Amino acid sequence: MSRTAKTKGLIALAVGAAAVVAGVPALAGAATTDAHRAAPPALTIDFTGSNSLAGAANAVGAGFGGTAAAKDASGAQVATVYDQCTKDAVAVDSVTAFCAADLVFTGGDQVTFTAVVPIDNPLTAKYPKQFDGVITGGTGAYQGLTGAVHLTNTAAGVYSLGWDA
């Protein structure tokens, strides 16, 4: 094989390898990924009267959603949370729902998370009830955010959020 053919072959191999690495960000190295960001503040969200759970069919697959004010420790509204849920298990005094939520902060930054949410009959529920969700992403100051959101159901439709991000 001639020296020119070897050189062309090596150049083609290098170009092909670069194309594969560029097409697969996980292989490109840590320098191309988003930096880890700080967690949002602890929040309280209250869906009382603003969620369609009561009007949703009492069957697996029934959807419901709503919005709520998200308040910080001082009681100031710092975000609005939008949720969309699907009932996955229905019992006499409880429902389990898979929910996706988007926190939109007053400055426009967002944090999204999902959670499997246990919802008890408000007449028989025992509070507080704790469970976790998964942070699925963020924008702005929260771009690259990952980890867990810790939810504490403190009353019917009221949740405290803490972050492990």
Side-chain angles (χ1 to χ4, degrees), residues 9-134:
L10 290 174
I11 291 171
L13 179 60
V15 169
V20 168
V21 171
V24 183
L27 298 176
T32 62
T33 60
D34 293 325
H36 180 74
R37 303 298 177 135
L43 300 170
T44 300
I45 55 177
D46 185 351
F47 286 103
T48 306
S50 64
N51 193 285
S52 64
L53 173 63
N58 203 23
V60 171
F64 61 94
T67 62
K71 298 180 179 180
D72 66 11
S74 71
Q77 181 173 347
V78 295
T80 301
V81 63
Y82 301 86
D83 79 332
Q84 184 64 49
C85 303
T86 303
K87 294 181 181 182
D88 293 322
V90 177
V92 174
D93 280 333
S94 66
V95 169
T96 300
F98 176 75
C99 298
D102 189 356
L103 281 165
V104 180
F105 288 87
T106 53
D109 296 341
Q110 298 181 38
V111 172
T112 59
F113 63 91
T114 61
V116 175
V117 180
I119 304 169
D120 292 337
N121 179 334
L123 301 175
T124 59
K126 304 276 191 269
Y127 299 108
K129 180 176 273 193
Q130 297 179 333
F131 56 96
D132 292 333
V134 177

Side-chain angles (χ1 to χ4, degrees), residues 39-40 111-114 133-138 142 144-149 162-165:
V111 172
T112 59
F113 63 91
T114 61
V134 177
I135 300 168
T136 55
Y142 306 113
L145 187 68
T146 61
V149 57
W163 309 92
D164 182 18

